[in-house]
PDB file of all heavy atoms in Angstrom:
ATOM      1  N   TRP A  32       1.208   5.370   0.507  1.00  0.00           N
ATOM      2  CA  TRP A  32       0.495   6.464   1.142  1.00  0.00           C
ATOM      3  C   TRP A  32       0.905   7.796   0.502  1.00  0.00           C
ATOM      4  O   TRP A  32       2.021   7.939   0.066  1.00  0.00           O
ATOM      5  CB  TRP A  32       0.906   6.493   2.638  1.00  0.00           C
ATOM      6  CG  TRP A  32       0.499   5.313   3.398  1.00  0.00           C
ATOM      7  CD1 TRP A  32      -0.817   4.985   3.767  1.00  0.00           C
ATOM      8  CD2 TRP A  32       1.321   4.276   3.846  1.00  0.00           C
ATOM      9  NE1 TRP A  32      -0.833   3.803   4.432  1.00  0.00           N
ATOM     10  CE2 TRP A  32       0.450   3.359   4.494  1.00  0.00           C
ATOM     11  CE3 TRP A  32       2.619   3.971   3.807  1.00  0.00           C
ATOM     12  CZ2 TRP A  32       0.943   2.168   5.085  1.00  0.00           C
ATOM     13  CZ3 TRP A  32       3.146   2.827   4.407  1.00  0.00           C
ATOM     14  CH2 TRP A  32       2.239   1.955   5.003  1.00  0.00           C
ATOM     15  N   THR A  40      -1.023  20.712  10.248  1.00  0.00           N
ATOM     16  CA  THR A  40      -0.233  21.728  10.994  1.00  0.00           C
ATOM     17  C   THR A  40      -0.793  21.855  12.353  1.00  0.00           C
ATOM     18  O   THR A  40      -1.924  22.351  12.512  1.00  0.00           O
ATOM     19  CB  THR A  40      -0.323  23.050  10.205  1.00  0.00           C
ATOM     20  OG1 THR A  40       0.203  22.836   8.894  1.00  0.00           O
ATOM     21  CG2 THR A  40       0.551  24.126  10.918  1.00  0.00           C
ATOM     22  N   PRO A  41      -0.056  21.451  13.418  1.00  0.00           N
ATOM     23  CA  PRO A  41      -0.595  21.554  14.716  1.00  0.00           C
ATOM     24  C   PRO A  41      -0.620  22.981  15.188  1.00  0.00           C
ATOM     25  O   PRO A  41       0.157  23.805  14.726  1.00  0.00           O
ATOM     26  CB  PRO A  41       0.401  20.726  15.564  1.00  0.00           C
ATOM     27  CG  PRO A  41       1.646  20.732  14.811  1.00  0.00           C
ATOM     28  CD  PRO A  41       1.249  20.809  13.351  1.00  0.00           C
ATOM     29  N   GLN A  42      -1.554  23.266  16.059  1.00  0.00           N
ATOM     30  CA  GLN A  42      -1.615  24.574  16.685  1.00  0.00           C
ATOM     31  C   GLN A  42      -1.681  24.394  18.193  1.00  0.00           C
ATOM     32  O   GLN A  42      -2.244  23.474  18.675  1.00  0.00           O
ATOM     33  CB  GLN A  42      -2.808  25.326  16.188  1.00  0.00           C
ATOM     34  CG  GLN A  42      -4.165  24.713  16.600  1.00  0.00           C
ATOM     35  CD  GLN A  42      -5.381  25.573  16.240  1.00  0.00           C
ATOM     36  OE1 GLN A  42      -5.311  26.763  16.249  1.00  0.00           O
ATOM     37  NE2 GLN A  42      -6.469  24.868  15.835  1.00  0.00           N
ATOM     38  N   ILE A  44      -2.753  24.632  21.925  1.00  0.00           N
ATOM     39  CA  ILE A  44      -4.008  24.914  22.646  1.00  0.00           C
ATOM     40  C   ILE A  44      -3.672  25.634  23.922  1.00  0.00           C
ATOM     41  O   ILE A  44      -4.572  26.013  24.665  1.00  0.00           O
ATOM     42  CB  ILE A  44      -4.773  23.593  22.892  1.00  0.00           C
ATOM     43  CG1 ILE A  44      -3.932  22.706  23.827  1.00  0.00           C
ATOM     44  CG2 ILE A  44      -5.155  22.899  21.600  1.00  0.00           C
ATOM     45  CD1 ILE A  44      -4.773  21.577  24.494  1.00  0.00           C
ATOM     46  N   GLY A  45      -2.396  25.769  24.226  1.00  0.00           N
ATOM     47  CA  GLY A  45      -1.958  26.528  25.398  1.00  0.00           C
ATOM     48  C   GLY A  45      -0.464  26.400  25.533  1.00  0.00           C
ATOM     49  O   GLY A  45       0.252  25.938  24.649  1.00  0.00           O
ATOM     50  N   ILE A  57      16.305  19.916  33.847  1.00  0.00           N
ATOM     51  CA  ILE A  57      15.307  18.913  33.978  1.00  0.00           C
ATOM     52  C   ILE A  57      15.897  17.511  34.309  1.00  0.00           C
ATOM     53  O   ILE A  57      16.778  17.078  33.590  1.00  0.00           O
ATOM     54  CB  ILE A  57      14.486  18.797  32.662  1.00  0.00           C
ATOM     55  CG1 ILE A  57      13.843  20.171  32.325  1.00  0.00           C
ATOM     56  CG2 ILE A  57      13.455  17.691  32.711  1.00  0.00           C
ATOM     57  CD1 ILE A  57      13.182  20.258  30.951  1.00  0.00           C
ATOM     58  N   GLN A  64      13.111  11.663  38.953  1.00  0.00           N
ATOM     59  CA  GLN A  64      11.818  12.051  39.518  1.00  0.00           C
ATOM     60  C   GLN A  64      11.411  13.411  38.963  1.00  0.00           C
ATOM     61  O   GLN A  64      12.282  14.208  38.677  1.00  0.00           O
ATOM     62  CB  GLN A  64      11.890  12.072  41.038  1.00  0.00           C
ATOM     63  CG  GLN A  64      12.318  10.742  41.681  1.00  0.00           C
ATOM     64  CD  GLN A  64      11.188   9.712  41.502  1.00  0.00           C
ATOM     65  OE1 GLN A  64      10.012  10.006  41.776  1.00  0.00           O
ATOM     66  NE2 GLN A  64      11.565   8.521  41.079  1.00  0.00           N
ATOM     67  N   PRO A  66       8.999  15.898  40.534  1.00  0.00           N
ATOM     68  CA  PRO A  66       8.034  16.405  41.546  1.00  0.00           C
ATOM     69  C   PRO A  66       7.631  17.830  41.282  1.00  0.00           C
ATOM     70  O   PRO A  66       6.725  18.321  41.992  1.00  0.00           O
ATOM     71  CB  PRO A  66       8.814  16.243  42.853  1.00  0.00           C
ATOM     72  CG  PRO A  66      10.210  16.518  42.459  1.00  0.00           C
ATOM     73  CD  PRO A  66      10.371  15.876  41.059  1.00  0.00           C
ATOM     74  N   ILE A  73      -4.305  27.048  29.285  1.00  0.00           N
ATOM     75  CA  ILE A  73      -4.996  26.738  28.090  1.00  0.00           C
ATOM     76  C   ILE A  73      -5.563  28.037  27.498  1.00  0.00           C
ATOM     77  O   ILE A  73      -6.144  28.877  28.243  1.00  0.00           O
ATOM     78  CB  ILE A  73      -6.120  25.692  28.321  1.00  0.00           C
ATOM     79  CG1 ILE A  73      -5.575  24.494  29.013  1.00  0.00           C
ATOM     80  CG2 ILE A  73      -6.894  25.357  27.063  1.00  0.00           C
ATOM     81  CD1 ILE A  73      -4.378  23.801  28.266  1.00  0.00           C
ATOM     82  N   LEU A  74      -5.445  28.243  26.201  1.00  0.00           N
ATOM     83  CA  LEU A  74      -5.885  29.451  25.559  1.00  0.00           C
ATOM     84  C   LEU A  74      -7.416  29.546  25.628  1.00  0.00           C
ATOM     85  O   LEU A  74      -8.142  28.471  25.588  1.00  0.00           O
ATOM     86  CB  LEU A  74      -5.462  29.433  24.130  1.00  0.00           C
ATOM     87  CG  LEU A  74      -3.951  29.506  23.834  1.00  0.00           C
ATOM     88  CD1 LEU A  74      -3.606  29.295  22.370  1.00  0.00           C
ATOM     89  CD2 LEU A  74      -3.374  30.836  24.329  1.00  0.00           C
ATOM     90  N   ASP A  76      -9.795  30.155  23.625  1.00  0.00           N
ATOM     91  CA  ASP A  76     -10.552  29.490  22.577  1.00  0.00           C
ATOM     92  C   ASP A  76     -10.744  28.010  22.827  1.00  0.00           C
ATOM     93  O   ASP A  76     -11.599  27.334  22.185  1.00  0.00           O
ATOM     94  CB  ASP A  76      -9.919  29.685  21.204  1.00  0.00           C
ATOM     95  CG  ASP A  76     -10.051  31.100  20.651  1.00  0.00           C
ATOM     96  OD1 ASP A  76     -10.839  31.907  21.283  1.00  0.00           O
ATOM     97  OD2 ASP A  76      -9.399  31.447  19.674  1.00  0.00           O
ATOM     98  N   GLY A  86     -12.373  15.505  37.142  1.00  0.00           N
ATOM     99  CA  GLY A  86     -12.641  14.074  37.636  1.00  0.00           C
ATOM    100  C   GLY A  86     -11.474  13.142  37.412  1.00  0.00           C
ATOM    101  O   GLY A  86     -11.564  12.048  37.864  1.00  0.00           O
ATOM    102  N   HIS A  89      -4.869  12.070  36.644  1.00  0.00           N
ATOM    103  CA  HIS A  89      -3.683  12.238  35.843  1.00  0.00           C
ATOM    104  C   HIS A  89      -4.058  12.547  34.404  1.00  0.00           C
ATOM    105  O   HIS A  89      -5.089  12.078  33.945  1.00  0.00           O
ATOM    106  CB  HIS A  89      -2.769  10.989  35.883  1.00  0.00           C
ATOM    107  CG  HIS A  89      -2.183  10.803  37.211  1.00  0.00           C
ATOM    108  ND1 HIS A  89      -2.833  10.283  38.315  1.00  0.00           N
ATOM    109  CD2 HIS A  89      -0.887  11.072  37.630  1.00  0.00           C
ATOM    110  CE1 HIS A  89      -1.975  10.235  39.340  1.00  0.00           C
ATOM    111  NE2 HIS A  89      -0.825  10.669  39.000  1.00  0.00           N
ATOM    112  N   THR A 120      13.472   5.837  23.131  1.00  0.00           N
ATOM    113  CA  THR A 120      13.918   6.807  24.071  1.00  0.00           C
ATOM    114  C   THR A 120      12.991   8.017  24.266  1.00  0.00           C
ATOM    115  O   THR A 120      12.034   8.144  23.493  1.00  0.00           O
ATOM    116  CB  THR A 120      15.349   7.331  23.775  1.00  0.00           C
ATOM    117  OG1 THR A 120      15.227   8.264  22.671  1.00  0.00           O
ATOM    118  CG2 THR A 120      16.293   6.220  23.383  1.00  0.00           C
ATOM    119  N   ASN A 127       9.667  14.029  14.341  1.00  0.00           N
ATOM    120  CA  ASN A 127       8.578  14.953  14.630  1.00  0.00           C
ATOM    121  C   ASN A 127       8.734  15.361  16.107  1.00  0.00           C
ATOM    122  O   ASN A 127       8.624  14.509  17.014  1.00  0.00           O
ATOM    123  CB  ASN A 127       7.220  14.330  14.429  1.00  0.00           C
ATOM    124  CG  ASN A 127       6.917  14.113  12.949  1.00  0.00           C
ATOM    125  OD1 ASN A 127       6.956  15.000  12.162  1.00  0.00           O
ATOM    126  ND2 ASN A 127       6.700  12.827  12.568  1.00  0.00           N
ATOM    127  N   LEU A 137      -3.641  18.671  39.926  1.00  0.00           N
ATOM    128  CA  LEU A 137      -3.826  19.121  41.288  1.00  0.00           C
ATOM    129  C   LEU A 137      -5.030  20.013  41.455  1.00  0.00           C
ATOM    130  O   LEU A 137      -5.687  20.102  42.491  1.00  0.00           O
ATOM    131  CB  LEU A 137      -2.600  19.893  41.768  1.00  0.00           C
ATOM    132  CG  LEU A 137      -1.251  19.105  41.718  1.00  0.00           C
ATOM    133  CD1 LEU A 137      -0.084  20.046  42.087  1.00  0.00           C
ATOM    134  CD2 LEU A 137      -1.353  17.908  42.625  1.00  0.00           C
ATOM    135  N   ASP A 150       8.022  18.241  33.051  1.00  0.00           N
ATOM    136  CA  ASP A 150       9.386  17.944  32.587  1.00  0.00           C
ATOM    137  C   ASP A 150       9.611  18.726  31.262  1.00  0.00           C
ATOM    138  O   ASP A 150      10.415  18.332  30.416  1.00  0.00           O
ATOM    139  CB  ASP A 150       9.707  16.505  32.406  1.00  0.00           C
ATOM    140  CG  ASP A 150       8.882  15.772  31.387  1.00  0.00           C
ATOM    141  OD1 ASP A 150       7.902  16.418  30.826  1.00  0.00           O
ATOM    142  OD2 ASP A 150       9.105  14.597  31.116  1.00  0.00           O
ATOM    143  N   MET A 151       8.825  19.866  31.151  1.00  0.00           N
ATOM    144  CA  MET A 151       8.915  20.693  29.952  1.00  0.00           C
ATOM    145  C   MET A 151       9.422  22.056  30.328  1.00  0.00           C
ATOM    146  O   MET A 151       9.374  22.488  31.475  1.00  0.00           O
ATOM    147  CB  MET A 151       7.556  20.941  29.341  1.00  0.00           C
ATOM    148  CG  MET A 151       6.651  19.678  29.229  1.00  0.00           C
ATOM    149  SD  MET A 151       5.712  19.438  30.701  1.00  0.00           S
ATOM    150  CE  MET A 151       4.143  19.038  30.014  1.00  0.00           C
ATOM    151  N   LEU A 152      10.029  22.734  29.294  1.00  0.00           N
ATOM    152  CA  LEU A 152      10.539  24.068  29.552  1.00  0.00           C
ATOM    153  C   LEU A 152       9.401  25.043  29.629  1.00  0.00           C
ATOM    154  O   LEU A 152       8.355  24.837  29.083  1.00  0.00           O
ATOM    155  CB  LEU A 152      11.473  24.443  28.364  1.00  0.00           C
ATOM    156  CG  LEU A 152      12.794  23.689  28.211  1.00  0.00           C
ATOM    157  CD1 LEU A 152      13.474  24.058  26.945  1.00  0.00           C
ATOM    158  CD2 LEU A 152      13.686  23.917  29.432  1.00  0.00           C
ATOM    159  N   THR A 155       6.618  26.096  26.757  1.00  0.00           N
ATOM    160  CA  THR A 155       6.442  25.035  25.818  1.00  0.00           C
ATOM    161  C   THR A 155       5.016  25.031  25.295  1.00  0.00           C
ATOM    162  O   THR A 155       4.081  25.024  26.075  1.00  0.00           O
ATOM    163  CB  THR A 155       6.767  23.623  26.455  1.00  0.00           C
ATOM    164  OG1 THR A 155       8.214  23.664  26.760  1.00  0.00           O
ATOM    165  CG2 THR A 155       6.470  22.483  25.514  1.00  0.00           C
ATOM    166  N   ILE A 157       1.598  23.472  24.142  1.00  0.00           N
ATOM    167  CA  ILE A 157       0.772  22.297  24.403  1.00  0.00           C
ATOM    168  C   ILE A 157      -0.037  21.955  23.161  1.00  0.00           C
ATOM    169  O   ILE A 157      -0.688  22.866  22.648  1.00  0.00           O
ATOM    170  CB  ILE A 157      -0.164  22.470  25.627  1.00  0.00           C
ATOM    171  CG1 ILE A 157       0.691  22.814  26.874  1.00  0.00           C
ATOM    172  CG2 ILE A 157      -1.004  21.262  25.828  1.00  0.00           C
ATOM    173  CD1 ILE A 157      -0.151  23.312  28.027  1.00  0.00           C
ATOM    174  N   PRO A 162      -7.142  12.445  29.122  1.00  0.00           N
ATOM    175  CA  PRO A 162      -7.114  11.799  30.453  1.00  0.00           C
ATOM    176  C   PRO A 162      -6.304  10.530  30.418  1.00  0.00           C
ATOM    177  O   PRO A 162      -6.284   9.837  29.407  1.00  0.00           O
ATOM    178  CB  PRO A 162      -8.589  11.444  30.723  1.00  0.00           C
ATOM    179  CG  PRO A 162      -9.226  11.404  29.392  1.00  0.00           C
ATOM    180  CD  PRO A 162      -8.502  12.334  28.463  1.00  0.00           C
ATOM    181  N   SER A 165      -5.315   3.653  31.956  1.00  0.00           N
ATOM    182  CA  SER A 165      -4.502   2.514  31.592  1.00  0.00           C
ATOM    183  C   SER A 165      -5.232   1.226  31.993  1.00  0.00           C
ATOM    184  O   SER A 165      -5.679   1.096  33.106  1.00  0.00           O
ATOM    185  CB  SER A 165      -3.158   2.527  32.204  1.00  0.00           C
ATOM    186  OG  SER A 165      -2.443   1.336  31.847  1.00  0.00           O
ATOM    187  N   LEU A 172       3.453  -5.159  31.652  1.00  0.00           N
ATOM    188  CA  LEU A 172       4.316  -4.099  31.081  1.00  0.00           C
ATOM    189  C   LEU A 172       5.757  -4.575  30.927  1.00  0.00           C
ATOM    190  O   LEU A 172       6.264  -5.254  31.846  1.00  0.00           O
ATOM    191  CB  LEU A 172       4.251  -2.856  31.952  1.00  0.00           C
ATOM    192  CG  LEU A 172       2.992  -2.095  31.953  1.00  0.00           C
ATOM    193  CD1 LEU A 172       3.018  -0.954  32.999  1.00  0.00           C
ATOM    194  CD2 LEU A 172       2.649  -1.501  30.600  1.00  0.00           C
ATOM    195  N   GLU A 179      17.229  -3.658  31.254  1.00  0.00           N
ATOM    196  CA  GLU A 179      18.560  -4.178  31.192  1.00  0.00           C
ATOM    197  C   GLU A 179      19.583  -3.177  31.737  1.00  0.00           C
ATOM    198  O   GLU A 179      20.475  -3.521  32.466  1.00  0.00           O
ATOM    199  CB  GLU A 179      18.955  -4.522  29.734  1.00  0.00           C
ATOM    200  CG  GLU A 179      18.099  -5.614  29.138  1.00  0.00           C
ATOM    201  CD  GLU A 179      18.283  -5.717  27.608  1.00  0.00           C
ATOM    202  OE1 GLU A 179      19.146  -5.128  27.036  1.00  0.00           O
ATOM    203  OE2 GLU A 179      17.418  -6.411  27.012  1.00  0.00           O
TER     204      GLU A 179
END
Side-chain angles (χ1 to χ4, degrees):
W32 296 287
T40 302
Q42 63 175 325
I44 62 164
I57 300 172
Q64 300 291 312
I73 305 307
L74 296 170
D76 287 350
H89 291 77
T120 74
N127 289 304
L137 302 175
D150 63 353
M151 313 88 135
L152 293 173
T155 293
I157 300 167
S165 176
L172 289 175
E179 296 168 13

